[in-house]
Amino acid sequence: MSKTQQKPKILNVETVASSRMFRIQSVDLTFSNGESRVYERLLPEGRQAVMIVPVLNDNILLIREYAVAIEDYELGFPKGLVEPNEDVLVAANREMMEEIGYGARKLTVLSKLTLAPSYFASTMTIVLAEDLYEQKLEGDEPEPLTLVSWPQSKMIELLALSDFNEARNVSALFLAREYLNQR
């Protein structure tokens, strides 16, 4: 933000709907030029999320799971919510154990992402997991997830698949590829 930009003044915030996972708020704003707008924003119920790019030998590990919003199966990386008072790397390791049956001895934070920040106040930490070992924990998935092993040398080819197109997965792919290529 440049020094000349001034954040809009928030005049009123009102919760207009809520569910067990989200709150929708109406936010009345006045901008520094006098323009006023009413925006709606979606707030998660106070929890961060984590997405993990697991590396096993010369492969990355992905999962195929049902995505209700698009009513289809999506290929992507293991992910989940960070529990209250849980460290993000502990959450990353737990989610991997629940979803793919592996833990990691080495976890590296690659980035923290937002998704549609004009409307959605959510963050997701992208973590690279290396030096994997077999360890299974019971997860909360309604059906077994399909584990897909993909060659690191062909990571970019994931972009051609019709079921690998969710923005956070694509971002995680590029972040991991860049990190791995720099070594």
Side-chain angles (χ1 to χ4, degrees):
M1 185 164 76
S2 75
K3 292 180 182 179
T4 59
Q5 283 185 303
Q6 184 179 353
K7 287 184 181 180
K9 183 177 179 182
I10 297 176
L11 303 174
N12 187 47
V13 177
E14 179 182 345
T15 298
V16 295
S18 62
S19 73
R20 66 180 174 86
M21 293 180 64
F22 301 106
R23 278 180 290 132
I24 299 174
Q25 292 181 330
S26 174
V27 183
D28 297 326
L29 300 170
T30 298
F31 290 82
S32 61
N33 64 359
E35 288 288 322
S36 295
R37 293 288 189 279
V38 177
Y39 286 92
E40 286 186 347
R41 66 182 177 194
L42 185 62
L43 301 175
E45 286 300 328
R47 295 181 51 199
Q48 297 182 63
V50 63
M51 178 177 281
I52 310 97
V53 180
V55 177
L56 183 62
N57 302 319
D58 293 329
N59 297 310
I60 57 173
L61 302 179
L62 302 105
I63 56 171
R64 184 169 281 113
E65 67 180 321
Y66 188 72
V68 68
I70 62 170
E71 299 180 15
D72 208 351
Y73 285 86
E74 181 78 12
L75 181 65
F77 297 108
K79 62 191 165 304
L81 292 174
V82 177
E83 297 294 335
N85 301 315
E86 185 180 36
D87 179 81
V88 71
L89 295 179
V90 171
N93 221 15
R94 175 184 50 76
E95 286 293 339
M96 280 194 351
M97 291 177 195
E98 290 174 0
E99 295 189 2
I100 65 169
Y102 286 94
R105 291 182 187 90
K106 182 178 179 187
L107 296 162
T108 305
V109 173
L110 298 179
S111 187
K112 195 171 195 174
L113 303 177
T114 60
L115 178 68
S118 293
Y119 304 100
F120 191 44
S122 179
T123 61
M124 177 171 269
T125 302
I126 307 300
V127 175
L128 184 75
E130 299 174 284
D131 195 9
L132 303 188
Y133 58 92
E134 289 187 32
Q135 180 70 47
K136 181 72 176 157
L137 290 177
E138 186 69 29
D140 59 0
E141 286 71 32
E143 65 180 356
L145 302 176
T146 303
L147 182 62
V148 176
S149 183
W150 192 271
Q152 280 186 53
S153 62
K154 297 181 178 187
M155 288 171 75
I156 205 71
E157 293 177 25
L158 283 167
L159 299 174
L161 301 180
S162 63
D163 63 347
F164 185 86
N165 53 29
E166 197 263 330
R168 297 172 304 174
N169 285 310
V170 172
S171 295
L173 174 75
F174 278 98
L175 289 164
R177 183 173 171 257
E178 184 67 18
Y179 181 86
L180 293 167
N181 284 342
Q182 287 182 4
R183 294 199 291 191

